[in-house]
């Protein structure tokens, strides 16, 4: 598949183009999945926007197509914040499983769920573990924030938190107009503490370590993080693909 | 709500902006819903792109926000075409119902499903008819191609067909690069006949009347149709809103 | 069964009277079924009152008893209007099926559902099509407004609409005090349009054809319509009864 | 709500009248519930007629509207008697629960089930106990014959029995033509005995105490009982309403 | 596959013959489906016999095998007529779906349901629309009477009705001894009317248009119709097959 | 019922003929049931053809009608052989149960399942054992090969095996063109052995005893066996009928 491909977005290909590509020239697909949830001073769609940004940057290097984003996921502790939305776990899981099964029937042999939201992880892993049994396709789930913990640390000296350092940075790259740094106040952030579970959680920015994870609005660092994250995700996907190719 | 609103896309608002708007200044939301399906020479995402285009044009006049699109719907007779995807009706219906219930909980009092795909209609109407009972919100489902039958007729002299005159035109306005008129051949189209149900349907363009509905690639007419369709949809939504306001 | 029968209402007969009548002298029963729903300027019980009125007028000519009315049915698009009530389709269907099965066990061999509400039709037809298999009784469902389309046209020159010409007229005959013509305004009516499904429907009077179906409060025409409708329904029931008698 | 209200029957109000009344001027509703069952020499609808009669007399003093009667209930031991009808307990319970939920959605905050039939009591209590949890409305179930045991004793010197003293009297007040005293024979009555359960029960009049409960056809006493019963029911409802008003 | 094939009936081939044919030389199969139902003066098996007759005539031209007929379908309104039989819709649908899935596993890639009974259509379309998703086979459902409406009109000047013009004619060709023209009386026919659903339907011959559809026993016209119907069905199947071959 | 009956096939009778016959002159029905399965050198429909052949020969002596064959049954160990088809046991059982229930409703009082396939036996016995409870009809299941073990022995000196001596012989009588003796090789047969279960079974002819059960293509013996089998089955059915007649 040459780099001159007009688009890698499945939605923008017509069926005759698709027929020429899948599965002969492209049998992998990236599926961005997120949710609608309060995120400090970034948009409610933060968890959809970040995996979409990553997908657009890595599709070419990993030679995959990009499926449309699944926007509505499983929101829990921040659900009572204005604008947060949720879908019950079992409905979300069945909906995603059916989308994935349909991608398999359409000819894809490798499915990469690019997940933008921690609340979805368990459900996506369940989907993934049943996909091979049902449809004989290989699949993986990537939680970029966990996978790229080290990359965040290298750019910022510490890790991220929900709607904190790393998420704010990645939104800022493609959607700078949505990062309202003037609305930001330190008190939006709350430190997660063992032994405390609260719904709504007492801050729309969640820190995981005392004094670490506050957003940083420096655009240069944000770009640097995006580059590092995409490099790490792409390298990981390619490594898994290579190892998968040795199984059969 | 002034016209200077930065964005009407729910995904791009942060939760503090949302709190200032919903429900006080905006209690209506547009939800574009489509599917991934073969459409002659337009993209597989035709049924998502058209309601999104309409939503972006009418959000301001009808004073509504725009929720993220639900991209994966109920594809039936064109499912075997390369790139078509589907979700079983009962899963789709439950997923949409949960998204809508969540929008109600978030403060919206009026939900407009802008539907781009006939296969979704029955499920969306079921969702709509249960929403009031469950959540006391008002809702409507708009199948733009049925509602605007007269508008298509005025621009083209006849009506549309699946992936035919009207759908091709509306995609062309916002996504001209996806309309591959050179790939178009008349034989892509097939006339629907009573007594014949086929999966796959024998043409990725479906005509409903002998000799009518073939695509027309004239960009001026396409613009004219988009304007007429959006005017009709906006007027209908506003009329229904006005009448709803007199019920209670 | 002589015409001197004290009453044909099942509820008013005692069990010894019933024993003398059913099934020897009367093996047919009329079951009025409706719902509670907004109807322009007539009462919320319009859909119960009309089939009851018809039942009282045709019981004698068709030699049937009248069972108590099932008042609560399946209301959908007008449910959000003040005072409208509904029962989920599957519960309604099972409740009616059980009532019908019990009427069969009690000795009736022919059951006529006199339906006053379009939302019930599908469920009643399902009940009817299973009754023979389960209980070996014959049954029919009569939607008077469809069956008597021609009769409405003869009296008014056009057909009716929900809460429009024909329903308003039939309520007026037996319940003139409930027809509030002074509250009537043309804008209570809304024309049904293809491609638009709205809950609540934007008018408590629903027209099906441009300019046709508005209520008419002339009491003489109303009487004339009632006579014509009851004549048509009775003739149809008798014709079907006669044909049924030739089957076995 | 002034006493000049044209009607308190929900079925006879139109939706605009309803909107002016509920819940602002009337947030309580009476729901008569009975069954179709053999009752000695009174009509098969005795259990529907009595709660309807009571509802019409107490609606004004307790400031409530009257919903349409649910005619088909749970008949057991007298089911084999000619004309008796029944609905299985679980279907009846779900049907009533849905009607009640719908009344709650329509704006009522207090629901009074006026029950005319002992076989329904358990199901109605189940409905009532779930209503607050599901819909946050208050509700009560009134078995008039138990509540007014003392009133019957005061008028007749003893209590009533099924289709005996008290039921026959209350039917007689509003439906004297249905009380066939000439058909009455003492042997229609059978004394309920511990250790004996029989279907059909061996008498369509059931006595609960040796020598007590036989019908008495004196119209003056019947009127006296009706007055006493309605006074007691109204007083009880008002007392409960008052106490409920002190909870929140 | 030469025309000298001994038989095209799957039942008459042994497994070694089948292995030589499917799928290499024949990957399409015709599945006749009907029901047992009263049909005026033709046999109870009319709806099985007609698709079988068509299958035998078109198997050669469309190069398909013929699977055994599924004789028991979904009979509704004529069920109470002597000899009519039925299977509940959900059981029928699952049974047919399993037979079709098994045909797919056996190597067929194209399945043509030749349907003889309108009551089966919905279920067969459901089966067809799920077959691709589940088994990646292509399928179609042919209701010959709808598809060949024009052919009937050309031979008889009007269309057919249940057990009327066209069905009687097609039975007559292969089973003349079963067409009892002497038993025929005009009153066996009944005109379907909107607003009336009756079980049993009041005639074992159902007309859909005033004055049209009565049986005609002319054997020459019957032959002419069979030829025209088989030509149209075969041409349609071949056209769809050709178009299917261009999809992937 | 005289022997001059035009046909005993239910499918070939019209409803008026059926009404004259059932149940007055014929209240018993034979239901042939089989499957589609590899059978050595006989056709895939062997298990349907044999019970059909028997049904046609015994209908007259046992005074029963013949219902259409249920062709698709439960195939297990030979399913992977080309052309074999199967239906899951629970679907098969429910489908047959519904057909039988419908035959009971249609007036039959005695149902004889003529089974041609061992894989169906358990399901048919389940159907039979519930039929009386549900529909108060009497029924029996006949596995001709077990019942006629002695008859096979008398003609051939040993018993049969799957697709061996007896099945091949009975197919040969009515369908000699389907018995491809030239394709027969001894190695098609495999001896069933305790402790070995294999899918696919290693031979499409299954022997149950060392050296016994190989097909024999002698037409005279085949005729002799058919006569003996039909005599035994008819005698058994008549004996059971006679004993049943003494129960009530």
């Amino acid at each position: 598949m040459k780099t001159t491909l007009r688009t890698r977005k499945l939605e923008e290909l017509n069926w005759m183009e698709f027929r020429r590509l899948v599965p002969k020239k492209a049998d992998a697909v990236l599926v961005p999945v997120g949710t609608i949830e309060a995120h400090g001073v970034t948009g409610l769609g933060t968890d959809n926007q970040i995996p979409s940004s990553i997908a657009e940057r890595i599709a070419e290097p990993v030679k995959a197509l990009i499926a449309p984003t699944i926007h509505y996921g499983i929101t829990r502790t921040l659900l009572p914040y204005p604008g947060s939305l949720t879908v019950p776990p079992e409905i979300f899981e069945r909906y995603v499983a059916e989308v994935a099964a349909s991608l398999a029937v359409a000819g894809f042999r490798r499915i990469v769920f690019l997940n933008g939201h921690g609340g979805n992880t368990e459900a996506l892993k369940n989907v993934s573990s049943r996909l091979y049994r049902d449809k004989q396709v290989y699949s993986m789930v990537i939680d970029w924030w966990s996978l790229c913990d080290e990359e965040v640390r290298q750019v910022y000296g510490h890790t991220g938190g929900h709607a904190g350092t790393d998420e704010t940075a990645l939104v800022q790259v493609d959607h700078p107009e949505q990062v309202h740094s003037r609305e930001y106040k330190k008190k939006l952030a709350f430190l997660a503490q063992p032994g405390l579970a609260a719904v709504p959680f007492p801050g729309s920015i969640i820190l995981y370590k005392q004094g670490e994870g506050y957003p940083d609005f420096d655009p240069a660092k944000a770009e640097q993080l995006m580059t590092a994250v995409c490099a790490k995700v792409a390298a990981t996907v390619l490594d898994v693909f290579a190892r998968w190719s040795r199984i059969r």
Side-chain angles (χ1 to χ4, degrees), chain A residues 74 76 88-94 96-97 113 115 118-130 141:
Chain A
I74 305 166
R76 293 180 213 255
E90 69 280 10
I91 309 296
F92 173 77
E93 189 174 318
R94 293 190 63 191
V96 176
F113 295 105
N115 182 27
N120 296 341
T121 305
E122 195 61 27
L124 293 174
K125 285 161 85 172
N126 289 343
V127 168
S128 181
S129 77
R130 277 197 295 265
V141 180

PDB file of all heavy atoms in Angstrom, chain A residues 74 76 88-94 96-97 113 115 118-130 141:
ATOM      1  N   ILE A  74     -18.110   4.151  28.764  1.00  0.00           N
ATOM      2  CA  ILE A  74     -18.540   3.894  30.139  1.00  0.00           C
ATOM      3  C   ILE A  74     -17.937   4.931  31.085  1.00  0.00           C
ATOM      4  O   ILE A  74     -16.781   4.830  31.503  1.00  0.00           O
ATOM      5  CB  ILE A  74     -18.064   2.485  30.578  1.00  0.00           C
ATOM      6  CG1 ILE A  74     -18.558   1.417  29.590  1.00  0.00           C
ATOM      7  CG2 ILE A  74     -18.529   2.184  31.999  1.00  0.00           C
ATOM      8  CD1 ILE A  74     -17.873   0.062  29.756  1.00  0.00           C
ATOM      9  N   ARG A  76     -17.950   6.789  34.759  1.00  0.00           N
ATOM     10  CA  ARG A  76     -18.418   6.420  36.097  1.00  0.00           C
ATOM     11  C   ARG A  76     -18.317   7.579  37.089  1.00  0.00           C
ATOM     12  O   ARG A  76     -19.279   8.306  37.310  1.00  0.00           O
ATOM     13  CB  ARG A  76     -17.626   5.230  36.631  1.00  0.00           C
ATOM     14  CG  ARG A  76     -17.899   3.950  35.834  1.00  0.00           C
ATOM     15  CD  ARG A  76     -17.074   2.788  36.436  1.00  0.00           C
ATOM     16  NE  ARG A  76     -16.659   1.873  35.425  1.00  0.00           N
ATOM     17  CZ  ARG A  76     -17.217   0.658  35.245  1.00  0.00           C
ATOM     18  NH1 ARG A  76     -18.167   0.233  36.017  1.00  0.00           N
ATOM     19  NH2 ARG A  76     -16.795  -0.143  34.299  1.00  0.00           N
ATOM     20  N   PRO A  88     -24.306   1.855  29.891  1.00  0.00           N
ATOM     21  CA  PRO A  88     -24.028   0.764  30.823  1.00  0.00           C
ATOM     22  C   PRO A  88     -22.979  -0.201  30.238  1.00  0.00           C
ATOM     23  O   PRO A  88     -23.005  -0.476  29.036  1.00  0.00           O
ATOM     24  CB  PRO A  88     -25.376   0.059  30.977  1.00  0.00           C
ATOM     25  CG  PRO A  88     -26.390   1.060  30.571  1.00  0.00           C
ATOM     26  CD  PRO A  88     -25.727   1.924  29.541  1.00  0.00           C
ATOM     27  N   PRO A  89     -22.088  -0.717  31.082  1.00  0.00           N
ATOM     28  CA  PRO A  89     -20.998  -1.564  30.612  1.00  0.00           C
ATOM     29  C   PRO A  89     -21.424  -2.692  29.681  1.00  0.00           C
ATOM     30  O   PRO A  89     -20.800  -2.927  28.652  1.00  0.00           O
ATOM     31  CB  PRO A  89     -20.402  -2.118  31.911  1.00  0.00           C
ATOM     32  CG  PRO A  89     -20.689  -1.070  32.924  1.00  0.00           C
ATOM     33  CD  PRO A  89     -22.016  -0.475  32.536  1.00  0.00           C
ATOM     34  N   GLU A  90     -22.520  -3.393  30.019  1.00  0.00           N
ATOM     35  CA  GLU A  90     -22.856  -4.567  29.203  1.00  0.00           C
ATOM     36  C   GLU A  90     -23.340  -4.154  27.807  1.00  0.00           C
ATOM     37  O   GLU A  90     -23.104  -4.858  26.835  1.00  0.00           O
ATOM     38  CB  GLU A  90     -23.879  -5.469  29.915  1.00  0.00           C
ATOM     39  CG  GLU A  90     -25.278  -4.922  30.063  1.00  0.00           C
ATOM     40  CD  GLU A  90     -25.424  -3.943  31.216  1.00  0.00           C
ATOM     41  OE1 GLU A  90     -24.390  -3.524  31.799  1.00  0.00           O
ATOM     42  OE2 GLU A  90     -26.564  -3.560  31.533  1.00  0.00           O
ATOM     43  N   ILE A  91     -24.011  -3.003  27.715  1.00  0.00           N
ATOM     44  CA  ILE A  91     -24.482  -2.541  26.397  1.00  0.00           C
ATOM     45  C   ILE A  91     -23.286  -2.076  25.570  1.00  0.00           C
ATOM     46  O   ILE A  91     -23.168  -2.373  24.381  1.00  0.00           O
ATOM     47  CB  ILE A  91     -25.472  -1.363  26.541  1.00  0.00           C
ATOM     48  CG1 ILE A  91     -26.592  -1.691  27.522  1.00  0.00           C
ATOM     49  CG2 ILE A  91     -26.026  -0.962  25.173  1.00  0.00           C
ATOM     50  CD1 ILE A  91     -27.457  -2.796  27.077  1.00  0.00           C
ATOM     51  N   PHE A  92     -22.389  -1.321  26.224  1.00  0.00           N
ATOM     52  CA  PHE A  92     -21.183  -0.864  25.535  1.00  0.00           C
ATOM     53  C   PHE A  92     -20.390  -2.062  25.000  1.00  0.00           C
ATOM     54  O   PHE A  92     -19.990  -2.103  23.833  1.00  0.00           O
ATOM     55  CB  PHE A  92     -20.330  -0.046  26.504  1.00  0.00           C
ATOM     56  CG  PHE A  92     -18.982   0.338  25.961  1.00  0.00           C
ATOM     57  CD1 PHE A  92     -18.856   1.381  25.049  1.00  0.00           C
ATOM     58  CD2 PHE A  92     -17.838  -0.336  26.343  1.00  0.00           C
ATOM     59  CE1 PHE A  92     -17.620   1.739  24.536  1.00  0.00           C
ATOM     60  CE2 PHE A  92     -16.586   0.017  25.840  1.00  0.00           C
ATOM     61  CZ  PHE A  92     -16.483   1.053  24.931  1.00  0.00           C
ATOM     62  N   GLU A  93     -20.209  -3.044  25.855  1.00  0.00           N
ATOM     63  CA  GLU A  93     -19.400  -4.195  25.458  1.00  0.00           C
ATOM     64  C   GLU A  93     -20.013  -4.946  24.276  1.00  0.00           C
ATOM     65  O   GLU A  93     -19.322  -5.331  23.338  1.00  0.00           O
ATOM     66  CB  GLU A  93     -19.232  -5.136  26.661  1.00  0.00           C
ATOM     67  CG  GLU A  93     -18.234  -6.239  26.412  1.00  0.00           C
ATOM     68  CD  GLU A  93     -17.979  -7.077  27.666  1.00  0.00           C
ATOM     69  OE1 GLU A  93     -17.850  -6.490  28.768  1.00  0.00           O
ATOM     70  OE2 GLU A  93     -17.932  -8.303  27.552  1.00  0.00           O
ATOM     71  N   ARG A  94     -21.353  -5.117  24.306  1.00  0.00           N
ATOM     72  CA  ARG A  94     -21.982  -5.840  23.200  1.00  0.00           C
ATOM     73  C   ARG A  94     -21.940  -5.021  21.911  1.00  0.00           C
ATOM     74  O   ARG A  94     -21.762  -5.579  20.814  1.00  0.00           O
ATOM     75  CB  ARG A  94     -23.435  -6.202  23.547  1.00  0.00           C
ATOM     76  CG  ARG A  94     -23.530  -7.226  24.669  1.00  0.00           C
ATOM     77  CD  ARG A  94     -24.921  -7.748  24.850  1.00  0.00           C
ATOM     78  NE  ARG A  94     -25.385  -8.474  23.659  1.00  0.00           N
ATOM     79  CZ  ARG A  94     -26.641  -8.855  23.468  1.00  0.00           C
ATOM     80  NH1 ARG A  94     -27.554  -8.581  24.384  1.00  0.00           N
ATOM     81  NH2 ARG A  94     -27.001  -9.484  22.365  1.00  0.00           N
ATOM     82  N   VAL A  96     -19.647  -2.781  20.999  1.00  0.00           N
ATOM     83  CA  VAL A  96     -18.285  -2.822  20.464  1.00  0.00           C
ATOM     84  C   VAL A  96     -17.979  -4.207  19.892  1.00  0.00           C
ATOM     85  O   VAL A  96     -17.373  -4.335  18.821  1.00  0.00           O
ATOM     86  CB  VAL A  96     -17.257  -2.452  21.547  1.00  0.00           C
ATOM     87  CG1 VAL A  96     -15.841  -2.587  20.996  1.00  0.00           C
ATOM     88  CG2 VAL A  96     -17.492  -1.029  22.044  1.00  0.00           C
ATOM     89  N   ALA A  97     -18.420  -5.248  20.576  1.00  0.00           N
ATOM     90  CA  ALA A  97     -18.176  -6.607  20.097  1.00  0.00           C
ATOM     91  C   ALA A  97     -18.808  -6.821  18.728  1.00  0.00           C
ATOM     92  O   ALA A  97     -18.228  -7.461  17.846  1.00  0.00           O
ATOM     93  CB  ALA A  97     -18.725  -7.630  21.095  1.00  0.00           C
ATOM     94  N   PHE A 113      -7.825  -1.666  19.052  1.00  0.00           N
ATOM     95  CA  PHE A 113      -8.679  -0.706  19.753  1.00  0.00           C
ATOM     96  C   PHE A 113      -7.775   0.355  20.367  1.00  0.00           C
ATOM     97  O   PHE A 113      -6.984   0.057  21.273  1.00  0.00           O
ATOM     98  CB  PHE A 113      -9.493  -1.391  20.845  1.00  0.00           C
ATOM     99  CG  PHE A 113     -10.476  -2.389  20.321  1.00  0.00           C
ATOM    100  CD1 PHE A 113     -10.249  -3.758  20.423  1.00  0.00           C
ATOM    101  CD2 PHE A 113     -11.648  -1.971  19.688  1.00  0.00           C
ATOM    102  CE1 PHE A 113     -11.153  -4.685  19.923  1.00  0.00           C
ATOM    103  CE2 PHE A 113     -12.560  -2.892  19.185  1.00  0.00           C
ATOM    104  CZ  PHE A 113     -12.308  -4.252  19.307  1.00  0.00           C
ATOM    105  N   ASN A 115      -7.809   3.011  22.746  1.00  0.00           N
ATOM    106  CA  ASN A 115      -8.730   3.426  23.791  1.00  0.00           C
ATOM    107  C   ASN A 115      -8.287   4.735  24.435  1.00  0.00           C
ATOM    108  O   ASN A 115      -7.120   4.898  24.777  1.00  0.00           O
ATOM    109  CB  ASN A 115      -8.797   2.327  24.862  1.00  0.00           C
ATOM    110  CG  ASN A 115      -9.780   2.659  25.956  1.00  0.00           C
ATOM    111  OD1 ASN A 115     -10.750   3.401  25.732  1.00  0.00           O
ATOM    112  ND2 ASN A 115      -9.535   2.132  27.147  1.00  0.00           N
ATOM    113  N   GLY A 118     -10.101   5.125  30.525  1.00  0.00           N
ATOM    114  CA  GLY A 118      -9.869   4.015  31.439  1.00  0.00           C
ATOM    115  C   GLY A 118     -11.104   3.198  31.771  1.00  0.00           C
ATOM    116  O   GLY A 118     -11.025   1.982  31.955  1.00  0.00           O
ATOM    117  N   GLY A 119     -12.264   3.847  31.825  1.00  0.00           N
ATOM    118  CA  GLY A 119     -13.502   3.139  32.146  1.00  0.00           C
ATOM    119  C   GLY A 119     -13.869   2.081  31.122  1.00  0.00           C
ATOM    120  O   GLY A 119     -14.651   1.174  31.390  1.00  0.00           O
ATOM    121  N   ASN A 120     -13.324   2.203  29.903  1.00  0.00           N
ATOM    122  CA  ASN A 120     -13.647   1.243  28.840  1.00  0.00           C
ATOM    123  C   ASN A 120     -12.744   0.010  28.833  1.00  0.00           C
ATOM    124  O   ASN A 120     -13.055  -0.974  28.151  1.00  0.00           O
ATOM    125  CB  ASN A 120     -13.464   1.895  27.455  1.00  0.00           C
ATOM    126  CG  ASN A 120     -14.418   3.041  27.218  1.00  0.00           C
ATOM    127  OD1 ASN A 120     -15.438   3.159  27.879  1.00  0.00           O
ATOM    128  ND2 ASN A 120     -14.080   3.915  26.266  1.00  0.00           N
ATOM    129  N   THR A 121     -11.626   0.077  29.552  1.00  0.00           N
ATOM    130  CA  THR A 121     -10.580  -0.933  29.349  1.00  0.00           C
ATOM    131  C   THR A 121     -11.053  -2.361  29.571  1.00  0.00           C
ATOM    132  O   THR A 121     -10.848  -3.252  28.738  1.00  0.00           O
ATOM    133  CB  THR A 121      -9.376  -0.640  30.271  1.00  0.00           C
ATOM    134  OG1 THR A 121      -8.944   0.700  30.025  1.00  0.00           O
ATOM    135  CG2 THR A 121      -8.238  -1.603  30.009  1.00  0.00           C
ATOM    136  N   GLU A 122     -11.713  -2.580  30.676  1.00  0.00           N
ATOM    137  CA  GLU A 122     -12.167  -3.936  30.998  1.00  0.00           C
ATOM    138  C   GLU A 122     -13.076  -4.488  29.901  1.00  0.00           C
ATOM    139  O   GLU A 122     -12.906  -5.624  29.451  1.00  0.00           O
ATOM    140  CB  GLU A 122     -12.908  -3.913  32.348  1.00  0.00           C
ATOM    141  CG  GLU A 122     -13.108  -5.272  32.950  1.00  0.00           C
ATOM    142  CD  GLU A 122     -11.785  -5.990  33.231  1.00  0.00           C
ATOM    143  OE1 GLU A 122     -10.767  -5.298  33.442  1.00  0.00           O
ATOM    144  OE2 GLU A 122     -11.771  -7.229  33.190  1.00  0.00           O
ATOM    145  N   ALA A 123     -14.037  -3.684  29.483  1.00  0.00           N
ATOM    146  CA  ALA A 123     -14.970  -4.129  28.439  1.00  0.00           C
ATOM    147  C   ALA A 123     -14.234  -4.424  27.145  1.00  0.00           C
ATOM    148  O   ALA A 123     -14.512  -5.437  26.469  1.00  0.00           O
ATOM    149  CB  ALA A 123     -16.044  -3.069  28.209  1.00  0.00           C
ATOM    150  N   LEU A 124     -13.296  -3.579  26.767  1.00  0.00           N
ATOM    151  CA  LEU A 124     -12.561  -3.799  25.517  1.00  0.00           C
ATOM    152  C   LEU A 124     -11.717  -5.067  25.590  1.00  0.00           C
ATOM    153  O   LEU A 124     -11.602  -5.807  24.611  1.00  0.00           O
ATOM    154  CB  LEU A 124     -11.681  -2.589  25.200  1.00  0.00           C
ATOM    155  CG  LEU A 124     -12.448  -1.302  24.857  1.00  0.00           C
ATOM    156  CD1 LEU A 124     -11.476  -0.130  24.699  1.00  0.00           C
ATOM    157  CD2 LEU A 124     -13.280  -1.470  23.586  1.00  0.00           C
ATOM    158  N   LYS A 125     -11.150  -5.325  26.761  1.00  0.00           N
ATOM    159  CA  LYS A 125     -10.374  -6.559  26.911  1.00  0.00           C
ATOM    160  C   LYS A 125     -11.288  -7.788  26.800  1.00  0.00           C
ATOM    161  O   LYS A 125     -10.896  -8.810  26.221  1.00  0.00           O
ATOM    162  CB  LYS A 125      -9.616  -6.557  28.242  1.00  0.00           C
ATOM    163  CG  LYS A 125      -8.409  -5.628  28.188  1.00  0.00           C
ATOM    164  CD  LYS A 125      -7.893  -5.231  29.550  1.00  0.00           C
ATOM    165  CE  LYS A 125      -6.929  -6.223  30.135  1.00  0.00           C
ATOM    166  NZ  LYS A 125      -6.314  -5.661  31.386  1.00  0.00           N
ATOM    167  N   ASN A 126     -12.477  -7.695  27.327  1.00  0.00           N
ATOM    168  CA  ASN A 126     -13.430  -8.804  27.167  1.00  0.00           C
ATOM    169  C   ASN A 126     -13.755  -9.024  25.694  1.00  0.00           C
ATOM    170  O   ASN A 126     -13.803 -10.163  25.210  1.00  0.00           O
ATOM    171  CB  ASN A 126     -14.744  -8.510  27.920  1.00  0.00           C
ATOM    172  CG  ASN A 126     -14.565  -8.571  29.414  1.00  0.00           C
ATOM    173  OD1 ASN A 126     -13.574  -9.117  29.903  1.00  0.00           O
ATOM    174  ND2 ASN A 126     -15.502  -7.993  30.152  1.00  0.00           N
ATOM    175  N   VAL A 127     -13.994  -7.937  24.987  1.00  0.00           N
ATOM    176  CA  VAL A 127     -14.288  -8.049  23.556  1.00  0.00           C
ATOM    177  C   VAL A 127     -13.121  -8.726  22.853  1.00  0.00           C
ATOM    178  O   VAL A 127     -13.296  -9.660  22.067  1.00  0.00           O
ATOM    179  CB  VAL A 127     -14.536  -6.654  22.944  1.00  0.00           C
ATOM    180  CG1 VAL A 127     -14.543  -6.723  21.416  1.00  0.00           C
ATOM    181  CG2 VAL A 127     -15.854  -6.068  23.458  1.00  0.00           C
ATOM    182  N   SER A 128     -11.941  -8.239  23.144  1.00  0.00           N
ATOM    183  CA  SER A 128     -10.744  -8.749  22.482  1.00  0.00           C
ATOM    184  C   SER A 128     -10.555 -10.233  22.746  1.00  0.00           C
ATOM    185  O   SER A 128     -10.241 -11.014  21.844  1.00  0.00           O
ATOM    186  CB  SER A 128      -9.528  -7.959  22.973  1.00  0.00           C
ATOM    187  OG  SER A 128      -8.361  -8.406  22.351  1.00  0.00           O
ATOM    188  N   SER A 129     -10.804 -10.659  23.987  1.00  0.00           N
ATOM    189  CA  SER A 129     -10.510 -12.056  24.301  1.00  0.00           C
ATOM    190  C   SER A 129     -11.530 -13.005  23.683  1.00  0.00           C
ATOM    191  O   SER A 129     -11.272 -14.191  23.557  1.00  0.00           O
ATOM    192  CB  SER A 129     -10.419 -12.257  25.812  1.00  0.00           C
ATOM    193  OG  SER A 129     -11.693 -12.281  26.373  1.00  0.00           O
ATOM    194  N   ARG A 130     -12.683 -12.494  23.299  1.00  0.00           N
ATOM    195  CA  ARG A 130     -13.650 -13.380  22.643  1.00  0.00           C
ATOM    196  C   ARG A 130     -13.558 -13.331  21.115  1.00  0.00           C
ATOM    197  O   ARG A 130     -14.089 -14.196  20.426  1.00  0.00           O
ATOM    198  CB  ARG A 130     -15.073 -13.034  23.082  1.00  0.00           C
ATOM    199  CG  ARG A 130     -15.437 -13.678  24.415  1.00  0.00           C
ATOM    200  CD  ARG A 130     -16.926 -13.670  24.637  1.00  0.00           C
ATOM    201  NE  ARG A 130     -17.410 -12.306  24.751  1.00  0.00           N
ATOM    202  CZ  ARG A 130     -17.593 -11.675  25.904  1.00  0.00           C
ATOM    203  NH1 ARG A 130     -17.357 -12.272  27.050  1.00  0.00           N
ATOM    204  NH2 ARG A 130     -18.040 -10.443  25.923  1.00  0.00           N
ATOM    205  N   VAL A 141      -5.795  -4.102  22.627  1.00  0.00           N
ATOM    206  CA  VAL A 141      -6.362  -2.890  23.226  1.00  0.00           C
ATOM    207  C   VAL A 141      -5.196  -2.049  23.716  1.00  0.00           C
ATOM    208  O   VAL A 141      -4.353  -2.544  24.472  1.00  0.00           O
ATOM    209  CB  VAL A 141      -7.265  -3.236  24.428  1.00  0.00           C
ATOM    210  CG1 VAL A 141      -7.838  -1.969  25.049  1.00  0.00           C
ATOM    211  CG2 VAL A 141      -8.367  -4.197  24.007  1.00  0.00           C
TER     212      VAL A 141
END
